Amino acid sequence: MVGSVGHRPADALVRHVGRLSGREPSVRRVVCRHDEAVAEHAALRRLLNLHGCDSHPRTTRRTAQRLVERSLNRAPLVLAVDDAQWCDEGTIRWIDGLMHGSAGAPLTVLLSLTDDIPAVSAPAFEALVARDTCTVAGGPPLWRPAVRGVALAPPAPAPSGTARPADAPAPGTAGSLGSQENRLLRIVRAAVLLRSTDPDVVSQLAGLPRQMTGRLLGTALDRGLLPRIDPVRGAPAELDRLMASLPDAEREQLRAQGAEILNDAARPARQVAELLLGLRTLDRPWMRTVLREAAVAAFREQPATAVSFLRRLHEAVPNDLTVRAELAAALTDIDPADALLHLDEVLARCDDPEVRAFASGARKLTALMTHRLPDRPEALGALLRDLPHPSSSLSCGGPADDLALSARALRTALTGTDIGAAVADAQRVLRTDRPRAAWAAVAASRVLALSDDTGAALAHLDRVAEYSLRREEDWALGHAGANRALLLLESGRTDEAAEAALAATRLAEAQGGAAGNPLAWTALALTSVARADITGAAAALRRLDGLDLGDSVWEHHLRLTAGAFVERALGRPAEALRLLEACGADLDAAGIGNPLFTTWWLHSAELHMSLGLPGPARERAEHGRQLAERWPTARSTGLSLLALGTVATGTDRVDLLTESVRVLRDSSDQHARVLAEIRLGKALLRRGDDKAARGRLHAARGTAVRCGMTAVAGQARAALAAAGGRPASVTLTKAERPVAEMAVAGASNRSIADTLCLTVRTVEYHLTSVYRKLGVTGRAGLAQRLAASTGHGSSPPGEEH
């Protein structure tokens, strides 16, 4: 019975059964314990004293059934299970079966619940209560209204003419302790609502004396009814359901009362605001003030929370354009498209010069982020001229100063005119620790990457990603992730680049598709090309079909470059060359002169040579040399030497490519360095220096395999075969070899894990390592490469440990 205290209802029922049957009933009683709720048949063993028998569940059930049958042959039997909310699942199911199979027997089962416990442990309890053989009796509604009484198997019929005693409950019931709500429940409900166990505030909402509230809070905590409550995160979800069981009007009243209590107690604005979010009306001025204060406090570290407060405030005061501007600022890195809608409305309706200036600067930034404003050098220059002064008293602030610095740094870097000034501006942006739009930090990181400081750029992008993840800023996280994937690819960390690109595309999908972050799909295409997955690369680029990216410098030109790589891999060099030339022409028209932005000129020179057009090839190589002189870094110089060596002949080719390899060692561009090694190896081979050629090609292949650059590793292997070199054997560890062999045999990862007693994650790790060593992207090419690398599958000597 819900609300039962002590054993009085059970005692009354026992007396009633005895009077009805005319015989003294046998009583078996157990009090369930919380720590036994998950131990099968724990309550049953103590109920029937089965501790000494076989612990097998089936044996336990059979022994219990025999004991009950023997007991029923002697006298009526009452099985009383107190605190049944902690009864284990196995015992409940056994009782269910016993009641079903004992119709007509002098058996009564009493399952009583304590009224200050919210829910039963065993799901089977509710199914048992729903049986026709059971009666639910008495008790106020609790957290799960469907479970609020005692499950009773009907007692044996009384002998004819036997009267029911006055103090006994009606057959099939156990009486009620009244409908007044339990004090402990009121305390728990108040604590959950207020997200506090402070007796001073809980007592006010519960309407009980402070001293009594303190004792009851201790009782609730000791019994596990009220886990420790985090003032920020609140109570666990199962406790929050306590409020959901209340009628809407009562819940609204409690929230309003709780918010006022916390506000009067000078609790943090966020605690009060959390309660205000659930109110249908904010009819008192202090409520709106608290919401705004909570939004300001949350904006720096938890903008998503600030958005929830500002949205509710905007609903309450839709004509307050300052609130709308602040909502747009909080949305900037979460949903820039939504932020843009609010900013447009502010600019259309607002007359306040300060608010308009703030909204104007924020709109330009948001338009850049959503590709509504071109980010070509000329457009960035116009943006710099139009930006308002960054100072503003608007509480959520604005990143206009960071936007100005990052836009200027990016414009300088794209034009390729002053590497020192561009880097200085970028570093100023990245040194600040105040809240900023992720676009500014990512743009500054791009500038560092273009200056050949890829390590620092990656570190800053990692910081932006971590910051955005913590702040739940999905757009910013995807934007940083796409750029991070491109830099990881350049650094030779191909597998990491692919993972970063995939993660960025998933975030973009969740936000509506490719339009929100088209760079993510371009990055995925480029990493797929590097891994020789041309089908995947083409599929990624198709996601961008229909998008007009002409004014988006990075998205447009990198898409053209990626498309050229796909066409070349598909055996269509003329179409690849067309895309590269279109990329170069558009870059020149836009005033973009940075040789590292896209290296279209390098790939164009190579394709012209492959098509027997040395004249245009030399023009493209010379163009790259001139750009590199204006933007001198190890990478730009090394790539220029690579292009010049590609179009040169004889000794000049070997000398230029040798110097390219040397210079690129000081650059982070592992991909370009491997290409230089391969072309140098081929040049040495043409000159007749086979030994030196094979050394270069082996080095190129090793680096490519280690970095996961499957496509380039294939070029190195082909060049080695042409040089007459025996393919190098690949050494697999003792852990990797059986995994690889089972994968070749067609076993799934799960099957491999079960057979070798490994986790699936470990199998995936070993397979990734094997793929990288063998230069394949998956199971399709594994069999041939595994046999070729080890002499038809035999273990090579000197196997790694």
Side-chain angles (χ1 to χ4, degrees), residues 69-241:
E69 290 173 355
R70 285 201 296 268
S71 180
L72 287 172
N73 289 332
R74 294 191 299 268
L77 176 64
V78 176
L79 300 179
V81 180
D82 295 328
D83 284 351
Q85 66 277 349
W86 304 132
C87 191
D88 62 274
E89 182 85 2
T91 297
I92 292 293
R93 293 192 183 281
W94 179 85
I95 290 173
D96 195 1
L98 175 67
M99 292 166 64
H100 180 72
S102 302
L107 170 69
T108 301
V109 179
L110 171 65
L111 302 178
S112 61
L113 302 179
T114 304
D115 60 349
D116 54 7
I117 304 292
V120 296
S121 296
F125 188 91
E126 293 186 37
L128 184 151
V129 171
R131 304 286 188 221
D132 293 337
T133 54
C134 299
T135 300
V136 176
L142 279 178
W143 303 13
R144 291 168 64 178
V147 181
R148 59 172 188 265
V150 183
L152 293 168
S160 177
T162 302
R164 181 172 59 88
D167 63 339
T173 68
S176 173
L177 296 181
S179 60
Q180 183 179 4
E181 184 176 58
N182 181 269
R183 290 172 177 176
L184 189 58
L185 177 59
R186 288 159 60 188
I187 290 295
V188 171
R189 179 180 287 130
V192 169
L193 183 71
L194 296 172
R195 297 190 173 187
S196 173
T197 54
D198 182 348
D200 288 330
V201 294
V202 174
S203 63
Q204 295 181 57
L205 187 58
L208 296 171
R210 185 195 181 285
Q211 190 173 5
M212 178 186 294
T213 299
R215 290 198 305 270
L216 291 174
L217 281 170
T219 300
L221 290 168
D222 290 343
R223 294 190 184 182
L225 304 177
L226 185 63
R228 301 292 173 180
I229 296 177
D230 188 317
V232 175
R233 296 181 181 177
E238 59 270 18
L239 293 183
D240 283 339
R241 285 198 290 269

Side-chain angles (χ1 to χ4, degrees), residues 245-582:
S245 67
L246 292 174
D248 290 346
E250 187 176 351
R251 187 165 58 248
E252 177 91 358
Q253 181 181 359
L254 278 175
R255 283 186 178 278
Q257 185 181 353
E260 187 167 7
I261 290 170
L262 290 178
N263 190 53
D264 291 344
R267 292 304 172 92
R270 174 169 177 171
Q271 279 186 264
V272 184
E274 291 283 356
L275 293 179
L276 296 177
L277 287 178
L279 298 182
R280 289 192 296 271
T281 58
L282 303 176
D283 52 0
R284 303 175 67 179
W286 68 265
M287 294 179 173
R288 297 189 286 274
T289 301
V290 166
L291 275 174
R292 192 165 185 270
E293 289 177 359
V296 172
F299 176 73
R300 181 181 180 89
E301 292 300 327
Q302 294 176 312
T305 300
V307 165
S308 66
F309 295 146
L310 289 168
R311 282 196 192 280
R312 183 66 189 90
L313 186 56
H314 171 58
E315 292 171 2
V317 286
N319 293 322
D320 190 330
L321 297 178
T322 300
V323 169
R324 199 157 190 176
E326 291 175 340
L327 173 58
L331 279 167
T332 298
D333 283 331
I334 297 173
D335 188 348
D338 192 16
L340 196 62
L341 294 176
H342 289 290
L343 291 169
D344 286 342
E345 187 67 18
V346 170
L347 290 172
R349 297 171 51 196
C350 184
D351 296 326
D352 186 316
E354 184 180 15
V355 177
R356 284 189 63 84
F358 170 84
S360 177
R363 191 196 184 285
K364 289 180 172 62
L365 167 66
T366 313
L368 275 174
M369 295 165 61
T370 54
H371 314 295
R372 314 286 178 87
L373 186 69
D375 57 358
R376 294 170 176 247
E378 181 180 355
L380 291 174
L383 172 67
L384 290 170
R385 291 190 296 272
D386 294 342
L387 278 176
H389 193 275
S391 64
S392 172
S393 63
L394 289 172
S395 56
C396 283
D401 45 357
D402 285 333
L403 174 60
L405 282 172
S406 57
R408 187 170 72 183
L410 189 58
R411 179 176 179 271
T412 304
L414 287 175
T415 56
T417 53
D418 190 340
I419 189 171
V423 169
D425 281 343
Q427 289 176 338
R428 284 180 62 192
V429 173
L430 296 170
R431 274 199 300 267
T432 61
D433 61 354
R434 59 184 176 274
R436 65 171 70 86
W439 187 92
V442 172
S445 300
R446 284 169 163 172
V447 171
L448 293 185
L450 290 174
S451 70
D452 213 11
D453 194 356
T454 304
L458 274 172
H460 285 296
L461 287 176
D462 287 342
R463 192 171 297 115
V464 171
E466 179 184 355
Y467 188 62
S468 301
L469 180 63
R470 187 174 69 247
R471 289 162 53 94
E472 300 179 58
E473 295 174 327
D474 288 346
W475 182 90
L477 183 61
H479 182 55
N483 283 274
R484 181 172 175 270
L486 293 171
L487 295 192
L488 288 169
L489 180 62
E490 173 193 310
S491 303
R493 294 156 64 179
T494 309
D495 292 335
E496 290 181 64
E499 291 176 5
L502 274 172
T505 59
R506 292 191 195 104
L507 281 170
E509 288 281 22
Q511 293 178 313
N517 188 6
L519 191 63
W521 272 271
T522 304
L524 182 59
L526 289 169
T527 57
S528 297
V529 168
R531 302 172 88 192
D533 181 10
I534 306 306
T535 301
L541 290 177
R542 282 196 297 272
R543 291 302 308 274
L544 303 177
D545 290 347
L547 295 181
D548 183 7
L549 302 175
D551 288 332
S552 304
V553 167
W554 301 85
E555 288 79 0
H556 176 58
H557 297 98
L558 289 176
R559 178 172 69 169
L560 289 174
T561 304
F565 292 165
V566 170
E567 294 295 334
R568 182 176 63 184
L570 293 174
R572 298 193 285 261
E575 179 60 18
L577 187 58
R578 184 191 69 78
L579 291 172
L580 289 172
E581 290 294 306

